[in-house]
Amino acid sequence: MTYTHRWLSILEGCLLVALGIHLLDASDLLISGTAGLGLLLQQLTGLSFAQLFFLLNLPFYILSLRCMGWHFTLRTFVAVSTLTLLSELMQRWFDFSISEPLLAAVIGGMLIGFGLIILFRHQASLGGLNILSIYLERRFGIHASKTTLAADILIVLAAFWLFEPLQVVLSLAAFLSMASVVGRYHRPPSWAQVHSS
């Protein structure tokens, strides 16, 4: 039962993330991390987001094996592959957008945040820059949040060359929405935890 629950949860988490990314992409907005890098590179290449996301993650599996072990790496590979497939299918078959881009940014960021929480709670991730930040922290003592922040700043700066300034500003709302969800739900607050009697 635990085995089935874990893999169904990973599938559900990937579905939420794929929905969030598809909504942001349809609204010409960005998100942080490796997904954001994929959305940026999509503007420069003939490849889809799904193809870029899968390719960008390939080098990071080596770091994942060194830092997190086989089980985590396998779950991450499955999660990345599942997100790649779902993103490709949504690109072809699921056409939707929200006329108000700020609302799209907030909803897209929230969907991605909740999807990530599900993955984190089942010892999986979407690889990429998250794995790099863990590796740098364990190997060189650089706090993971600093690596993540530096990568996000670089993505935002690069975005100004490829997107209109308003799109980048609205994308920051997606960054904040996702970060707010992850920050609040990554570990349940003390009042929401179940205590054994």
Side-chain angles (χ1 to χ4, degrees):
M1 182 62 78
T2 302
Y3 182 84
T4 303
H5 174 79
R6 167 170 282 167
W7 289 108
L8 280 175
S9 297
I10 288 173
L11 174 61
E12 291 160 357
C14 290
L15 181 58
L16 289 176
V17 173
L19 278 169
I21 289 173
H22 187 61
L23 178 56
L24 293 176
D25 191 23
S27 304
D28 292 321
L29 300 174
L30 291 172
I31 195 63
S32 60
T34 312
L37 187 57
L39 290 171
L40 272 178
L41 292 175
Q42 186 178 232
Q43 305 294 317
L44 300 173
T45 69
L47 298 176
S48 68
F49 165 79
Q51 293 167 330
L52 287 164
F53 186 74
F54 186 81
L55 292 172
L56 285 169
N57 270 289
L58 291 177
F60 295 104
Y61 293 125
I62 298 170
L63 293 180
S64 180
L65 281 171
R66 293 183 62 181
C67 292
M68 310 299 287
W70 279 101
H71 295 294
F72 178 86
T73 303
L74 174 62
R75 287 190 291 269
T76 295
F77 177 79
V78 170
V80 168
S81 301
T82 301
L83 179 62
T84 298
L85 176 61
L86 290 171
S87 296
E88 195 68 42
L89 293 176
M90 286 183 187
Q91 186 82 21
R92 295 181 184 185
W93 298 340
F94 194 38
D95 183 23
F96 79 99
S97 62
I98 295 178
S99 58
E100 175 49 60
L102 180 58
L103 184 60
V106 172
I107 293 174
M110 287 177 64
L111 287 169
I112 294 169
F114 281 117
L116 289 174
I117 290 299
I118 292 173
L119 293 173
F120 294 160
R121 291 191 178 182
H122 292 277
Q123 288 80 54
S125 79
L126 291 175
L129 296 172
N130 290 332
I131 291 175
L132 177 63
S133 64
I134 292 170
Y135 172 77
L136 291 176
E137 183 172 59
R138 294 186 178 184
R139 183 74 173 81
F140 300 105
I142 302 170
H143 197 280
S145 63
K146 293 181 179 178
T147 304
T148 304
L149 178 62
D152 288 346
I153 289 172
L154 289 174
I155 288 171
V156 169
L157 291 176
F160 278 107
W161 273 274
L162 298 170
F163 289 84
E164 294 295 324
L166 180 59
Q167 290 174 284
V168 179
V169 171
L170 290 170
S171 295
L172 291 176
F175 283 43
L176 293 173
S177 177
M178 182 193 73
S180 172
V181 168
V182 172
R184 285 182 293 120
Y185 292 99
H186 184 54
R187 295 186 190 280
S190 57
W191 55 264
Q193 294 175 7
V194 176
H195 301 284
S196 57
S197 53

Short mmCIF file of all heavy atoms in Angstrom, two decimals, residues 1-12 122:
data_model
loop_
_atom_site.label_atom_id
_atom_site.label_comp_id
_atom_site.label_asym_id
_atom_site.label_seq_id
_atom_site.Cartn_x
_atom_site.Cartn_y
_atom_site.Cartn_z
N MET A 1 0.83 -1.21 0.00
CA MET A 1 0.00 0.00 0.00
C MET A 1 0.87 1.26 0.00
O MET A 1 0.59 2.21 -0.72
CB MET A 1 -0.93 -0.01 1.21
CG MET A 1 -1.86 1.18 1.26
SD MET A 1 -3.00 1.30 -0.12
CE MET A 1 -4.21 0.10 0.33
N THR A 2 1.95 1.25 0.82
CA THR A 2 2.84 2.41 0.88
C THR A 2 3.49 2.65 -0.48
O THR A 2 3.61 3.79 -0.93
CB THR A 2 3.92 2.19 1.95
OG1 THR A 2 3.29 1.97 3.20
CG2 THR A 2 4.83 3.39 2.06
N TYR A 3 3.90 1.56 -1.13
CA TYR A 3 4.53 1.65 -2.46
C TYR A 3 3.59 2.30 -3.46
O TYR A 3 3.96 3.23 -4.17
CB TYR A 3 4.93 0.23 -2.90
CG TYR A 3 5.63 0.16 -4.22
CD1 TYR A 3 7.00 0.38 -4.31
CD2 TYR A 3 4.92 -0.12 -5.39
CE1 TYR A 3 7.65 0.31 -5.54
CE2 TYR A 3 5.56 -0.19 -6.62
CZ TYR A 3 6.92 0.03 -6.68
OH TYR A 3 7.56 -0.04 -7.89
N THR A 4 2.35 1.82 -3.51
CA THR A 4 1.36 2.37 -4.45
C THR A 4 1.05 3.82 -4.12
O THR A 4 0.96 4.68 -5.00
CB THR A 4 0.06 1.54 -4.38
OG1 THR A 4 0.36 0.18 -4.67
CG2 THR A 4 -0.96 2.05 -5.38
N HIS A 5 0.91 4.13 -2.83
CA HIS A 5 0.61 5.49 -2.39
C HIS A 5 1.72 6.45 -2.84
O HIS A 5 1.43 7.55 -3.34
CB HIS A 5 0.47 5.51 -0.87
CG HIS A 5 0.30 6.89 -0.30
ND1 HIS A 5 -0.90 7.56 -0.33
CD2 HIS A 5 1.19 7.72 0.29
CE1 HIS A 5 -0.75 8.75 0.23
NE2 HIS A 5 0.51 8.87 0.61
N ARG A 6 2.98 6.03 -2.68
CA ARG A 6 4.09 6.90 -3.04
C ARG A 6 4.07 7.23 -4.53
O ARG A 6 4.19 8.39 -4.93
CB ARG A 6 5.42 6.25 -2.66
CG ARG A 6 6.64 6.92 -3.27
CD ARG A 6 7.92 6.41 -2.69
NE ARG A 6 8.14 7.01 -1.38
CZ ARG A 6 9.05 6.58 -0.51
NH1 ARG A 6 9.76 5.51 -0.76
NH2 ARG A 6 9.20 7.19 0.64
N TRP A 7 3.93 6.22 -5.38
CA TRP A 7 4.01 6.46 -6.82
C TRP A 7 2.79 7.21 -7.33
O TRP A 7 2.91 8.02 -8.26
CB TRP A 7 4.24 5.15 -7.56
CG TRP A 7 5.63 4.64 -7.33
CD1 TRP A 7 5.99 3.55 -6.58
CD2 TRP A 7 6.85 5.21 -7.81
NE1 TRP A 7 7.36 3.41 -6.56
CE2 TRP A 7 7.92 4.42 -7.31
CE3 TRP A 7 7.15 6.31 -8.61
CZ2 TRP A 7 9.25 4.69 -7.60
CZ3 TRP A 7 8.48 6.59 -8.89
CH2 TRP A 7 9.52 5.78 -8.39
N LEU A 8 1.62 6.96 -6.75
CA LEU A 8 0.45 7.75 -7.13
C LEU A 8 0.63 9.20 -6.73
O LEU A 8 0.24 10.12 -7.46
CB LEU A 8 -0.81 7.17 -6.48
CG LEU A 8 -1.43 5.94 -7.15
CD1 LEU A 8 -2.60 5.42 -6.31
CD2 LEU A 8 -1.90 6.26 -8.56
N SER A 9 1.20 9.42 -5.56
CA SER A 9 1.45 10.79 -5.09
C SER A 9 2.44 11.51 -5.99
O SER A 9 2.28 12.70 -6.30
CB SER A 9 1.96 10.76 -3.65
OG SER A 9 0.99 10.23 -2.78
N ILE A 10 3.48 10.81 -6.43
CA ILE A 10 4.46 11.40 -7.34
C ILE A 10 3.78 11.78 -8.66
O ILE A 10 4.02 12.86 -9.21
CB ILE A 10 5.65 10.45 -7.55
CG1 ILE A 10 6.51 10.40 -6.27
CG2 ILE A 10 6.51 10.89 -8.74
CD1 ILE A 10 7.62 9.38 -6.30
N LEU A 11 2.91 10.90 -9.15
CA LEU A 11 2.16 11.20 -10.38
C LEU A 11 1.28 12.44 -10.18
O LEU A 11 1.25 13.34 -11.04
CB LEU A 11 1.31 10.01 -10.77
CG LEU A 11 0.35 10.21 -11.96
CD1 LEU A 11 1.12 10.55 -13.22
CD2 LEU A 11 -0.52 8.97 -12.16
N GLU A 12 0.60 12.53 -9.05
CA GLU A 12 -0.27 13.67 -8.76
C GLU A 12 0.54 14.96 -8.64
O GLU A 12 0.13 16.02 -9.14
CB GLU A 12 -1.07 13.42 -7.48
CG GLU A 12 -2.11 12.33 -7.63
CD GLU A 12 -2.57 11.73 -6.31
OE1 GLU A 12 -2.04 12.13 -5.24
OE2 GLU A 12 -3.46 10.87 -6.34
N HIS A 122 7.44 12.79 -0.63
CA HIS A 122 7.61 11.39 -1.04
C HIS A 122 9.03 11.15 -1.56
O HIS A 122 9.26 10.28 -2.39
CB HIS A 122 6.55 11.01 -2.06
CG HIS A 122 5.18 10.97 -1.45
ND1 HIS A 122 4.70 9.88 -0.77
CD2 HIS A 122 4.21 11.92 -1.36
CE1 HIS A 122 3.49 10.14 -0.31
NE2 HIS A 122 3.17 11.38 -0.65
#
